[in-house]
Amino acid sequence: MITINDISIFFGGNKLFDNVSFTIGDRDRIGLVGKNGAGKSTLLKIISSHISPDGGNIVISKNQTIGYLPQEMIPSSETTVFQEAKKAFDDIKKIQQKLDNINETLLQREDYTSKEYAKLIEEQSELNERLMLLDITNADSQTEKVLLGLGFVREDFQRSMTEFSSGWQMRVELAKILLKKPNLILLDEPTNHLDIESITWLENFLIQYYGAIVLVSHDRCFLDNITNRTIEITAGKIYDYKVNYSAYCELHQKMIESQNSQMINQQRQILEIEKFIERFRYKATKAKQVQSKIKMLDKMDRIEVDDVDTSSIHFRFPPAPHSGKIVLEMKNLSKSYENKQVLKNINFILERNQKVAFIGKNGEGKSTLSKIIVGELQDYEGVFTLGHNVKIGYFAQNQAALLDGEKTVFETIDEIAVGEMRTKIRNILGSFLFGDEDIDKKVKVLSGGEKTRLALAKLLLSEVNLLVLDEPTNHLDLISKDILKSALLDYTGSFILVSHDRDFLQGLTDILYEFKNKGIKEYHCDIFEYLDQKKIQDLDELNLRTKQQTPTKKAEISENKRLFEENKEREKAQRKKRNRLNKLEEEITKKEDELSNMELKIADGLQDNSFYNDYQTKKDSLNKLMEEWEELSMDLDEENKK
């Protein structure tokens, strides 16, 4: 358990946090939310000890381990991908050495009933549990499983880290954290560098994770699927909700409505009291009652409505000029980088007013095809034709990084604005949250979210009928993403959208194009229907292979019947184990809650011996339950691999 006590921190003379306190339980799933700049990333850095607060402290239980993935970092390893990921197991040597020292100390001591001896036994038990959890004997298979889940292929394992982009290197850093299996995982925007398949895999991994998780994310689905607790950071304070993000939004709205109602009622009451005081202030017969009313006003706690963050971008795309029926067409288009082919024989037609999404794993050619469409890449094979009167607006995946850092916000827009648009620059910047005090800032001092908003603002300065948007939602907060989505829904032209954000894509496009194995496949469905179809397709492929391999001879049919019966019995046994596993998880949660309450009492002051004995008994019971849970989980994992 981790306890945050009265944390305060100042930036530029302003208080970012004001005596913030909360606890993180052993199995909590917490989503940190709040507008950009509220302090979400700062709070993660404080918990992970990367920065120190100006006031307050953090109490971390002994032997508690924390894994922290920042939003951005610059990995510098020159080892292979597999070697770098396997560094997650380096701590095992330190744990083993510490355990050896404790074992040697215990052999030399005879004070079996002392508190010091009990503490050594407890630490010995915790270190043994840690070694069992890390499981060095299966280090290679664990490393392989996590790397594959995060989107690497086996051919990548022996490639140098330096061959990969920073986004792929961040995946290796994430893999190391998952393999280390810390008691607490802190993740700051982990989906920024992942594709849909990797995000889904990470979701499933974290849902089943044994420890606590605190994450910052602008991916609504990711938050909803993982978290069961939401901590809102606003105006230096926190509000703790025991629900996921979507449920928090509903509760938060109801709370604001309730506060408004209470404030109106209180103001009405105050007005009545003030009228009474004013009416009878100078009447001697009412003097006592007047004084009573005055005291009542003085003692009254005035109800205030919490500040609601309404600062989100608001805009509409200009009307799209009319284009030909065919916006663009490709025939047998192929593209290679040196010896690596990325796209092969692509055939693709985009018609007027169509809204399409490019989806698939990173590295499958989505951004490459986008660059060909906008004219950034010319050296391709095959035919590519733009339709009549097609005017393109392009938002690149690294658009924010392409901005000139030495120019001011105003200069960035002013240099491309023409005609009547020059008179609307301040209004356009204002709709993207750049006030008068911001327009003279140099681009290089802007945050990632501010640069993204500025890059989007540039799209409004010319009338286009084809938008090509490559990951436009990176660094945008949840509210701003909703505004962008609304603007795209109202857009009168065509657009091509590259995105891994399921919630953003839902209901936004007519057609999905999946990029895989150098080609594309067309889907006329919504993103969640597509994800369901993918599961069905995988099952259909499995059934097809089974049918192709099914023998027809009587002897073989008999053998199949025997195998069927064996499978039936095995599934029955697995069901029994899964039921036991679920029951164990309930018992573990109950025991952990009991121990957490006892630890709070221990922290408050000394308890008698019977209390400590009861605490140790419960702790031993929890350890046994955890051992049984781990053994059952491993058994089921091994059986599922067969």
Side-chain angles (χ1 to χ4, degrees), residues 40-63:
K40 302 185 294 294
S41 296
T42 301
L43 186 55
L44 292 186
K45 289 175 183 175
I46 292 172
I47 296 171
S48 62
S49 300
H50 281 73
I51 61 174
S52 300
D54 296 311
N57 66 333
I58 297 178
V59 179
I60 301 175
S61 302
K62 193 173 182 181
N63 293 325

Side-chain angles (χ1 to χ4, degrees), residues 281-411:
R281 183 184 294 274
Y282 303 108
K283 287 197 175 183
T285 56
K286 297 284 187 179
K288 190 173 182 181
Q289 289 172 279
V290 168
Q291 288 302 314
S292 176
K293 296 286 186 183
I294 291 172
K295 287 179 182 178
M296 184 187 296
L297 279 181
D298 291 339
K299 292 179 179 179
M300 189 179 288
D301 288 330
R302 303 298 172 104
I303 296 170
E304 295 181 358
V305 178
D306 289 338
D307 291 334
V308 178
D309 179 28
T310 57
S311 57
S312 60
I313 60 176
H314 52 94
F315 71 99
R316 291 173 67 94
F317 289 105
H322 191 75
S323 69
K325 183 179 179 182
I326 302 299
V327 175
L328 65 87
E329 184 174 7
M330 297 176 185
K331 293 180 181 178
N332 297 323
L333 187 142
S334 300
K335 169 64 183 172
S336 299
Y337 291 101
E338 297 179 353
N339 297 324
K340 183 180 180 182
Q341 187 161 38
V342 180
L343 299 169
K344 183 177 180 181
N345 295 331
I346 301 298
N347 293 291
F348 171 52
I349 294 176
L350 181 69
E351 296 182 3
R352 184 173 58 235
N353 297 332
Q354 276 190 334
K355 315 324 194 208
V356 307
F358 288 173
I359 59 175
K361 290 184 178 180
N362 288 348
E364 291 286 354
K366 302 184 299 296
S367 294
T368 296
L369 194 62
S370 299
K371 289 176 181 177
I372 290 172
I373 291 170
V374 302
E376 280 198 5
L377 292 177
Q378 305 285 347
D379 53 336
Y380 54 83
E381 298 175 1
V383 178
F384 168 57
T385 309
L386 272 182
H388 173 67
N389 197 37
V390 173
K391 298 178 181 179
I392 300 175
Y394 178 45
F395 183 96
Q397 188 174 141
N398 61 337
Q399 191 72 46
L402 296 175
L403 297 171
D404 188 339
E406 294 303 320
K407 285 188 169 63
T408 66
V409 170
F410 186 87
E411 288 169 345

Side-chain angles (χ1 to χ4, degrees), residues 167-222:
W168 282 95
Q169 292 188 55
M170 285 289 285
R171 293 192 191 208
V172 179
E173 293 301 316
L174 176 57
K176 286 160 64 176
I177 290 171
L178 302 183
L179 289 166
K180 283 181 179 179
K181 299 176 185 173
N183 303 107
L184 170 62
I185 293 179
L186 306 174
L187 301 175
D188 195 350
E189 294 290 357
T191 62
N192 275 358
H193 308 287
L194 302 179
D195 49 59
I196 286 178
E197 291 186 22
S198 299
I199 291 171
T200 304
W201 180 89
L202 179 61
E203 259 180 21
N204 292 329
F205 185 97
L206 294 178
I207 287 168
Q208 299 172 39
Y209 193 66
Y210 86 101
I213 299 164
V214 179
L215 66 91
V216 175
S217 179
H218 291 149
D219 186 325
R220 192 190 307 267
C221 288
F222 193 70

Side-chain angles (χ1 to χ4, degrees), residues 515-610:
F515 283 64
K516 190 174 183 180
N517 299 328
K518 306 179 184 63
I520 61 174
K521 186 174 181 180
E522 187 175 323
Y523 291 83
H524 289 262
C525 62
D526 187 72
I527 183 63
F528 287 103
E529 292 177 65
Y530 159 80
L531 292 172
D532 287 339
Q533 281 187 38
K534 289 293 291 179
K535 294 175 187 175
I536 293 168
Q537 282 180 355
D538 291 344
L539 183 60
D540 287 345
E541 288 172 13
L542 178 63
N543 290 337
L544 181 62
R545 287 197 297 271
T546 304
K547 286 177 183 177
Q548 289 171 346
Q549 296 167 4
T550 301
T552 55
K553 295 179 183 178
K554 288 184 179 180
E556 290 172 328
I557 291 172
S558 177
E559 175 67 5
N560 283 347
K561 187 176 180 182
R562 184 185 66 79
L563 290 172
F564 173 80
E565 292 298 330
E566 287 180 0
N567 286 335
K568 190 176 177 182
E569 286 300 313
R570 185 162 58 249
E571 286 172 5
K572 183 178 178 182
Q574 284 185 335
R575 260 196 317 273
K576 189 175 179 181
K577 287 182 180 179
R578 281 194 292 269
N579 290 336
R580 176 57 183 161
L581 201 64
N582 291 333
K583 191 172 179 182
L584 280 170
E585 287 174 352
E586 292 174 3
E587 291 177 12
I588 287 169
T589 301
K590 185 178 177 182
K591 279 281 188 293
E592 286 176 334
D593 289 340
E594 290 174 357
L595 285 168
S596 294
N597 291 331
M598 295 182 80
E599 285 168 355
L600 288 173
K601 291 179 181 178
I602 291 172
D604 288 337
L606 291 173
Q607 306 291 332
D608 57 29
N609 287 335
S610 63

Side-chain angles (χ1 to χ4, degrees), residues 251-271 300-306:
L251 290 174
H252 185 259
Q253 183 59 36
K254 288 178 181 176
M255 182 191 75
I256 297 298
E257 291 171 359
S258 174
Q259 286 180 338
N260 267 314
S261 178
Q262 290 174 34
M263 186 181 71
I264 290 169
N265 289 335
Q266 188 184 62
Q267 286 175 340
R268 191 181 294 120
Q269 182 185 2
I270 290 170
L271 186 61
M300 189 179 288
D301 288 330
R302 303 298 172 104
I303 296 170
E304 295 181 358
V305 178
D306 289 338

